[in-house]
Amino acid sequence: MTRAIITVVGKDTVGIIAKVCGYLAEQKINILDISQTIVQDFFNMMMIVDLAKCDKPFDEMSGELSKLGAETGVQVKCQLEEIFNKMHRI
């Protein structure tokens, strides 16, 4: 299983979750865990996803998520779990 961490941050608007999750479903990316909060007008979501069935290269998929975020007015970042863990190691 190839896992990645996706974060979505920005001003809350209608449809953020639908757009991001819709894209993931189209790419056959399974959401393993998801957490989202809204603090005042700010939206924050973190997902752990399984990329095993995704046919696109990671860089292409990650770039498309970033572009989708920009179109929606939020910042979307995607990191492979291995890289995320190494960056946040004590």
Side-chain angles (χ1 to χ4, degrees), residues 23-88:
Y23 173 83
L24 297 176
E26 289 171 5
Q27 304 308 316
K28 300 180 214 135
I29 297 172
N30 188 36
I31 299 169
L32 302 172
D33 200 355
I34 185 169
S35 172
Q36 67 102 33
T37 58
I38 299 170
V39 178
Q40 294 187 17
D41 291 332
F42 295 95
F43 177 85
N44 184 18
M45 180 168 62
M46 181 175 173
M47 294 184 274
I48 300 172
V49 299
D50 179 6
L51 304 174
K53 294 183 181 175
C54 181
D55 296 328
K56 289 190 178 182
F58 177 80
D59 291 341
E60 182 180 346
M61 180 273 302
S62 181
E64 289 176 355
L65 274 172
S66 292
K67 183 179 176 186
L68 176 69
E71 292 168 357
T72 309
V74 295
Q75 184 179 54
V76 179
K77 292 194 176 192
C78 185
Q79 289 182 305
L80 291 172
E81 180 183 40
E82 180 181 333
I83 303 295
F84 184 88
N85 286 336
K86 287 182 180 178
M87 288 179 57
H88 294 91

Side-chain angles (χ1 to χ4, degrees), residues 12-23:
D12 188 33
T13 59
V14 174
I16 297 170
I17 296 171
K19 289 177 184 174
V20 173
C21 291
Y23 173 83

